[in-house]
Amino acid sequence: MRADQAERELISRDIEEYLARHERKDLLRFLTCGSVDDGKSTLIGRLLHDTHMVHEDTLAAATRDSKALGTQAGELDLAFLVDGLKSEREQGITIDVAFRYFTTAARKFIIADTPGHEQFTRNMATGASNCDLAILLVDARHGISVQTRRHAFITSLLGIGEIVLAVNKLDLITDSSGAFSQDRFNEIVRAFEEFSTRLPARNIRAIPMSALKGDNVVERSAQTPWYSGPTLLEHLETVPLGGHRNHVDFRFPVQWVNRPNLDFRGFAGTVASGCVKPGDRVMVLPSRRTTTVKQVVTFDGDLNEAHPPLSVTLTLADEVDCSRGDTLVHPGNEPHVSQDVSAMVVWMDDAAPLVPGKEYILKHGPHKTPASVVRIAHRVDVNTLDRSPAPALALNDIGEVAIRTSRPLVYDAYTRNRGTGAFILVDRLTNMTAGAGMLLDPSEADGGNWTSAPRATHLAPSAQVITPDERAKRLGQKPFTLLFTGLSGSGKSEVARAVERRLFDLGRFGAVIDGSALRSGMSRDLGFTKHERSENLRRGMELARAMNEVGLIVLASFTAPDASVRARARELVGGDRFALVHVSTPLDACRRRDPSGLYAAAARGSVKDVPGLDLDYETPTDADLALPMQEIGAGEAGVRAAVERVMAFLETRGALVR
Amino acid sequence: MDRARLSHLRELEAESIHIFREVAASFEKPVLLYSIGKDSAVLLQLAMKAFYPAKPPFPLLHVDTTWKFRDMYRFRDEYVAKELGLELLIHINQEGLAAGVNPITHGSRKHTDIMKTQGLRQALDKHGFDAAFGGARRDEEKSRAKERIFSFRDGQHRWDPRNQRPELWNIYNTEIHRAAGINRAAGTRGESIRVFPLSNWTELDVWQYIMLEKIPMVPLYFAAMRPVVYRGGVPIMVDDHRLPLEPGETPQMKMIRFRTLGCYPLSGAIESNATTLPEIIREMLETKLSERQGRVIDHDGAGSMEEKKKEGYF
Ligand SMILES: Nc1nc2c(ncn2[C@@H]2O[C@H](COP(=O)(O)OP(=O)(O)OP(=O)(O)O)[C@@H](O)[C@H]2O)c(=O)[nH]1
Ligand SMILES: [Mg+2]
């Protein structure tokens, strides 16, 4: 273990000062990943070698091995500094993750060098799970491969916010002057950016490199005059460490009840997130009993407060029932508590696929419970990121599943809280760690609240006092819901309003539910992502159903861009009293009209997630009625004609009686 | 943010404590493998912290090859057993002892295999331990760098490096098949886990922690005048009459100390004047050689550590 010149001087001059500084250095955990043979281990070997972190005897041993196996024509194979298993050196591949530790004057690092081979994806996930940054390597000759995409996707699922795209082996692709090819570099960067726009936003830094020769790893390369960014090491030493720790929501999963004698009863555990102090009111979940924290006990004396990732022991003011697997939280800031959860799962068992119905052991922090997968919501194609239905998840598959546990989980969404949002599934027969799961907020799940079970478990159905027949007679109509879908500016709200007027004039009762109007009231907490749009429609449809219950005809106007979400709306309201009306105005026309100024704002770049632009609008193939406004006509006359078509439709569906 | 940031050592400490508690809560019969060296000293300190104010809910086990330095035995018996008052089991491979196995005539490989690896397996089987803590660190050696914190062992105590369980976040798979009832009686042994709470600690972390926590250590880590002979240029301490001297060889007094402590003729010393912790750390930072270079065991052949681990060495 050696250091740069200034540090070396400090070590020999004032070792205690050096140690004090060393202790205050930041720690960055990162991994190397990417497809097989792209140069990950070579890169780590190069990094350790060029920062003088390799001891002489270790280097001599690696050189001997390289000679014996002849992988680099007798030269030192840098990968041998990390490929620590015999079969790895013999086969020239990495099988399992190697953890390496190194320090520079600026920072401490923990490196996980992970295998690229698809067969060992689970070892890659093992290495990645605790990292803050991922170096994704790409062999410049081969470009982005399926495995590159798979690793990019897994690092994204695991919440790694910093990516280095290391375009490696550029020494093999040079231009006429012998310099590394800038065109090839740009081409690969563009291809990666195109893919990663479909993933949650992250910081991406692309670096042209040769791990073998050491270009832009520690030393700046003379072969990349066109590149002015940092070398890899410079970047690693300076990249901001946002940290993934949640300092807001106090969560303390109890690991161990410490009871050495009758006078002491302490609850030992690791603070997963947030902060706790003596005197804090706390609630035990799932039992919901409350009490007060008496002391925060440690071997080194009581603390005034405890933060993650401290391991402490809490004593409580009252004799509450609390044991391993329970969670302490602050009342009023409570996590989800449920036996029905949704999660993204990476499947790791080569012996058996994940199948619905099979029971596993689910381990979530110190909590362990039998659990079974109720449903596979979808599988994600790692190449295209498209979702599709799947009967099972095989080895290395990634998908969203709905799980039912025997005992409730106390959890947060993984994106909000890594400490309480992760779990593993263990096969009951083989004891193999079969899957890794990242819990979703109920609203983000495929299906969101459309499919989640009600939180309250004792709901009494209300008794009907007026029959639907009585209502139909009085109102001269049968309850019905029309869902008008279409792009912003297609005219769907105008048509809905006009139909409401028309019904009123005929002595009937229609009611408009307008998607954007809901957002100022019952949906004021929602934005415009896919999930939030879905949830807004769900609320609208719950309202429609309630209005249908009292006999009204509902005219619901929502963009509703997702076909699957529209299908859920149909299901929720009930197929026999529901119809989908597609107001199909072409995008150009909508843009010209732009009644709400949305398209203008998008053009300025001040709004995102606009259906038809950067968010997909899935054109309905199951519309019960289409209103091609372009053909029907513009202006008031057009709207009148559309109303006629809607009225005729309602007539044929028997919504208007008498 | 900064207020909440723990120092690196406190973070490592917290991680290790978490691991100790997971094992204590999930296994029926854990044991701490205590080898009297610096890593064991840190391991013990962390175990004391994890269960404070209680004592660790498991015994210590020393697999004694009978070839430790006299200072080490003294430290073990006086400090660990008497002063800390912990339950300390000592196991010696009696068959090996009866056969007179020793590092001098049998060589390091055989001695280590019979007295250490076999001895360890015997002791684990005899007591039926299902989890054993060890003080190994990933930065010690490149096959160690590949090992999980919870390292699964089959009924024969074997490690299969090609088929390790995935290990994500700080969630550990503690499920094993335990030989029960009739199987146990029939001599079928259950699976077990080796647990390495110091996996993410480096040699520097260990020394810095010893300094910070003022952990008592075997004096051999500090330089002093000691009798040595040179073998292959390496100072070997003459600890008792068992080390046969070559004709004409006389022990000379030298300022030496040890960077790692194993069995005595197998552990090479280093010439040093470092008598304090800061001096030891400075020497360590300035050396060009790795920690294990003084140990004969790793030089027995390429990948020898890996081979030994497959056989059940910890
Ligand atoms: N020309 C050239 N060859 C390279 C470079 N980096 C790595 N290689 C070679 O590519 C081969 C694979 O390198 P490794 O470092 O083992 O690849 P890896 O990504 O660790 O492979 P796995 O871990 O098995 O997925 C070796 O022969 C390396 O010498 C580079 O920058 N230029
Ligand atoms: Mg590799």
Side-chain angles (χ1 to χ4, degrees):
Chain A
M1 179 164 321
R2 277 164 297 154
D4 72 10
Q5 194 55 39
E7 279 214 308
R8 273 203 293 272
E9 273 167 31
L10 184 60
I11 288 170
S12 58
R13 199 180 62 244
D14 188 351
I15 179 71
E16 310 216 8
E17 170 59 19
Y18 168 82
L19 292 176
R21 277 193 207 174
H22 180 74
E23 191 41 21
R24 287 194 299 267
K25 287 178 190 167
D26 286 325
L27 171 70
L28 174 69
R29 296 173 190 252
F30 68 91
L31 76 149
T32 50
C33 57
S35 192
V36 68
D37 271 352
D38 284 358
K40 299 175 288 297
S41 303
T42 305
L43 176 63
I44 296 312
R46 170 58 69 191
L47 199 56
L48 295 173
H49 182 269
D50 290 4
T51 50
H52 312 291
M53 299 301 295
V54 186
H55 286 112
E56 279 175 1
D57 51 322
T58 311
L59 195 62
T63 311
R64 265 198 314 277
D65 278 0
S66 308
K67 278 219 175 72
L69 293 165
T71 46
Q72 292 292 328
E75 298 287 300
L76 169 66
D77 189 336
L78 289 163
F80 282 14
L81 292 170
V82 261
D83 285 337
L85 300 176
K86 225 164 95 191
S87 30
E88 293 182 323
R89 292 190 296 277
E90 282 163 9
Q91 297 172 44
I93 57 162
T94 304
I95 293 170
D96 212 330
V97 49
F99 292 95
R100 300 298 304 244
Y101 306 79
F102 90 107
T103 311
T104 66
R107 269 185 187 164
K108 296 183 219 195
F109 301 93
I110 299 182
I111 313 173
D113 177 42
T114 72
H117 199 292
E118 185 183 341
Q119 190 187 340
F120 310 125
T121 302
R122 59 180 179 227
N123 298 335
M124 176 269 173
T126 292
S129 63
N130 289 318
C131 286
D132 310 301
L133 177 146
I135 303 178
L136 186 64
L137 274 90
V138 180
D139 184 329
R141 294 169 304 171
H142 308 313
I144 313 274
S145 69
V146 183
Q147 194 62 356
T148 321
R149 295 195 183 98
R150 187 191 309 276
H151 282 184
F153 183 40
I154 291 175
T155 57
S156 158
L157 279 179
L158 287 170
I160 298 175
E162 291 288 339
I163 296 290
V164 174
L165 182 72
V167 180
N168 191 32
K169 304 199 188 183
L170 275 170
D171 55 298
L172 299 176
I173 303 185
T174 48
D175 60 24
S176 48
S177 67
F180 293 0
S181 167
Q182 182 179 14
D183 290 346
R184 186 61 184 148
F185 174 75
N186 287 339
E187 197 179 336
I188 289 171
V189 174
R190 258 197 312 276
F192 182 72
E193 278 170 354
E194 199 174 299
F195 172 76
S196 57
T197 50
R198 302 201 53 190
L199 295 172
R202 303 192 277 178
N203 299 322
I204 300 172
R205 154 70 64 185
I207 304 179
M209 216 175 274
S210 166
L212 189 69
K213 306 268 158 72
D215 294 78
N216 292 334
V217 180
V218 173
E219 309 295 338
R220 184 162 294 280
S221 172
Q223 313 304 321
T224 53
W226 41 266
Y227 173 75
S228 57
T231 64
L232 177 64
L233 184 64
E234 282 165 7
H235 182 65
L236 294 174
E237 287 186 321
T238 53
V239 60
L241 296 180
H244 48 78
R245 275 189 190 128
N246 175 325
H247 292 278
V248 179
D249 313 308
F250 171 60
R251 308 284 187 256
F252 187 80
V254 175
Q255 249 189 315
W256 170 262
V257 181
N258 197 348
R259 184 121 231 219
N261 56 58
L262 290 178
D263 302 326
F264 188 91
R265 185 159 168 262
F267 301 92
T270 302
V271 183
S273 61
C275 167
V276 65
K277 298 187 192 66
D280 280 4
R281 283 303 286 171
V282 287
M283 179 189 271
V284 183
L285 289 174
S287 74
R288 303 192 65 80
R289 296 229 164 69
T290 56
T291 177
T292 305
V293 174
K294 213 158 71 182
Q295 296 158 284
V296 179
V297 177
T298 77
F299 180 91
D300 303 293
D302 289 359
L303 303 181
N304 295 328
E305 56 178 29
H307 297 275
L310 264 191
S311 293
V312 296
T313 301
L314 304 181
T315 58
L316 304 175
D318 307 287
E319 282 272 320
V320 291
D321 189 1
C322 179
S323 50
R324 175 171 165 87
D326 288 342
T327 303
L328 294 174
V329 306
H330 287 146
N333 178 344
E334 292 159 34
H336 305 291
V337 180
S338 177
Q339 285 176 267
D340 287 286
V341 299
S342 287
M344 294 302 296
V345 166
V346 180
W347 198 245
M348 305 177 151
D349 194 348
D350 43 13
L354 173 144
V355 283
K358 182 169 166 182
E359 195 172 273
Y360 298 94
I361 297 169
L362 186 151
K363 214 177 163 210
H364 172 243
H367 182 59
K368 200 166 90 172
T369 169
S372 53
V373 170
V374 182
R375 177 172 80 85
I376 297 176
H378 60 253
R379 194 177 72 92
V380 180
D381 179 332
V382 294
N383 216 3
T384 60
L385 298 180
D386 287 342
R387 304 156 159 208
S388 56
L393 294 183
L395 178 67
N396 301 328
D397 277 354
I398 298 165
E400 186 187 317
V401 300
I403 292 176
R404 185 168 181 87
T405 59
S406 290
R407 286 185 295 278
L409 290 190
V410 176
Y411 73 99
D412 297 282
Y414 182 82
T415 48
R416 180 168 177 91
N417 200 333
R418 275 198 201 183
T420 54
F423 65 86
I424 58 171
L425 292 174
V426 177
D427 188 285
R428 296 187 73 114
L429 214 60
T430 63
N431 288 338
M432 176 71 185
T433 305
M438 285 133 282
L439 289 154
L440 296 167
D441 194 88
S443 71
E444 325 169 299
D446 185 350
N449 288 335
W450 294 97
T451 49
S452 63
R455 291 261 191 114
T457 47
H458 30 260
L459 301 172
S462 58
Q464 288 268 11
V465 282
I466 304 167
T467 67
D469 264 4
E470 286 176 280
R471 288 187 202 275
K473 278 215 184 82
R474 168 77 56 88
L475 299 172
Q477 65 189 37
K478 286 190 177 154
F480 205 87
T481 294
L482 291 173
L483 174 57
F484 294 84
T485 170
L487 296 171
S488 171
S490 59
K492 54 189 184 304
S493 298
E494 259 181 286
V495 175
R497 291 270 171 223
V499 173
E500 181 187 27
R501 177 80 238 173
R502 184 67 188 280
L503 285 168
F504 189 81
D505 292 346
L506 289 170
R508 290 353 197 268
F509 297 93
V512 167
I513 303 176
D514 188 279
S516 48
L518 287 190
R519 291 176 177 280
S520 60
M522 70 192 277
S523 291
R524 66 174 55 172
D525 55 324
L526 298 178
F528 292 90
T529 64
K530 235 168 138 61
H531 300 305
E532 289 166 312
R533 286 177 183 281
S534 163
E535 175 62 9
N536 191 39
L537 181 61
R538 188 191 67 84
R539 293 181 191 176
M541 290 300 103
E542 291 283 5
L543 188 56
R545 191 160 80 159
M547 286 179 166
N548 282 167
E549 291 295 311
V550 298
L552 301 183
I553 293 174
V554 173
L555 311 157
S557 153
F558 286 78
T559 311
D562 276 9
S564 63
V565 176
R566 293 190 299 254
R568 292 189 197 281
R570 189 187 289 276
E571 226 171 276
L572 192 152
V573 175
D576 52 346
R577 52 160 79 159
F578 177 95
L580 187 67
V581 181
H582 181 204
V583 185
S584 62
T585 308
L587 180 60
D588 278 349
C590 295
R591 209 182 263 171
R592 249 176 279 121
R593 294 185 57 218
D594 200 7
S596 62
L598 180 69
Y599 295 106
R604 284 194 308 273
S606 54
V607 297
K608 278 192 355 187
D609 296 329
V610 178
L613 301 182
D614 57 343
L615 198 122
D616 228 11
Y617 177 84
E618 298 172 355
T619 306
T621 53
D622 60 343
D624 301 275
L625 176 68
L627 299 177
M629 298 307 285
Q630 202 77 336
E631 294 163 25
I632 295 174
E636 258 178 60
V639 173
R640 261 202 311 279
V643 170
E644 287 320 311
R645 292 196 190 189
V646 175
M647 293 304 291
F649 176 79
L650 283 173
E651 197 90 47
T652 57
R653 293 295 294 263
L656 305 176
V657 289
R658 263 195 318 226
Chain B
M1 264 300 289
D2 245 308
R3 177 183 54 116
R5 221 186 79 210
L6 287 184
S7 85
H8 179 54
L9 286 176
R10 291 293 170 221
E11 239 180 77
L12 286 171
E13 177 186 72
E15 178 185 71
S16 304
I17 290 176
H18 178 86
I19 293 164
F20 269 111
R21 291 169 173 170
E22 273 308 280
V23 173
S26 312
F27 290 87
E28 290 170 8
K29 219 175 163 191
V31 65
L32 188 150
L33 302 179
Y34 179 76
S35 71
I36 326 180
K38 63 179 190 306
D39 301 311
S40 287
V42 169
L43 203 58
L44 194 54
Q45 176 82 352
L46 293 165
M48 301 288 287
K49 289 198 175 193
F51 303 99
Y52 176 84
K55 288 252 164 81
F58 40 76
L60 274 50
L61 170 67
H62 179 220
V63 179
D64 187 1
T65 61
T66 73
W67 281 87
K68 299 290 162 189
F69 293 93
R70 286 173 300 165
D71 261 0
M72 293 171 77
Y73 289 118
R74 214 170 295 132
F75 184 84
R76 179 191 74 182
D77 298 336
E78 279 165 24
Y79 175 68
V80 178
K82 274 215 201 88
E83 208 176 315
L84 294 180
L86 298 174
E87 182 187 357
L88 172 69
L89 306 170
I90 296 168
H91 180 85
I92 298 174
N93 181 351
Q94 292 301 332
E95 292 154 35
L97 194 66
V101 174
N102 70 77
I104 293 158
T105 41
H106 294 86
S108 74
R109 186 166 208 157
K110 197 153 219 163
H111 170 76
T112 307
D113 178 47
I114 294 175
M115 297 309 285
K116 257 178 128 165
T117 309
Q118 305 292 344
L120 174 60
R121 294 169 53 158
Q122 285 170 356
L124 295 177
D125 290 341
K126 177 169 140 203
H127 297 278
F129 293 123
D130 55 359
F133 295 104
R137 291 175 283 108
R138 284 169 175 157
D139 89 324
E140 272 179 75
E141 198 270 343
K142 63 184 174 186
S143 72
R144 291 262 193 234
K146 294 273 165 182
E147 194 161 8
R148 301 284 187 262
I149 294 176
F150 279 56
S151 183
F152 177 82
R153 300 301 157 104
D154 67 10
Q156 314 306 316
H157 304 284
R158 283 178 307 218
W159 181 51
D160 180 2
R162 294 214 43 156
N163 201 16
Q164 301 195 80
R165 289 175 173 180
E167 189 169 270
L168 290 98
W169 305 291
N170 63 354
I171 308 178
Y172 303 104
N173 180 350
T174 54
E175 303 300 314
I176 55 169
H177 293 296
R178 293 181 169 79
I182 191 160
N183 289 333
R184 200 174 277 180
T188 308
R189 285 178 284 268
E191 298 164 347
S192 62
I193 303 271
R194 301 281 168 88
V195 186
F196 302 109
L198 304 184
S199 287
N200 288 322
W201 294 59
T202 63
E203 192 185 5
L204 174 59
D205 296 327
V206 164
W207 282 114
Q208 221 180 336
Y209 191 70
I210 288 169
M211 194 163 104
L212 184 74
E213 297 280 320
K214 305 189 173 56
I215 302 173
M217 300 290 291
V218 182
L220 292 165
Y221 283 112
F222 300 91
M225 293 299 279
R226 297 186 171 101
V228 295
V229 294
Y230 285 81
R231 298 278 160 88
V234 180
I236 300 289
M237 180 171 155
V238 184
D239 196 43
D240 56 28
H241 62 275
R242 290 186 292 181
L243 185 75
L245 300 178
E246 324 254 299
E249 198 179 40
T250 41
Q252 32 182 315
M253 295 303 282
K254 284 276 174 180
M255 268 307 259
I256 57 147
R257 65 178 186 90
F258 292 84
R259 202 165 159 199
T260 61
L261 285 174
C263 288
Y264 95 70
L266 302 181
S267 302
I270 49 176
E271 285 172 18
S272 162
N273 291 316
T275 55
T276 64
L277 286 169
E279 283 166 14
I280 288 175
I281 295 175
R282 177 171 47 218
E283 275 194 9
M284 186 196 79
L285 290 171
E286 287 175 344
T287 181
K288 296 185 157 88
L289 298 173
S290 80
E291 174 182 10
R292 302 200 71 87
Q293 138 272 345
R295 286 211 182 176
V296 183
I297 161 169
D298 301 332
H299 303 310
D300 287 349
S304 79
M305 170 71 87
E306 183 181 342
E307 294 308 316
K308 286 195 171 59
K309 288 169 65 62
K310 286 183 190 162
E311 296 303 315
Y313 184 73
F314 85 87

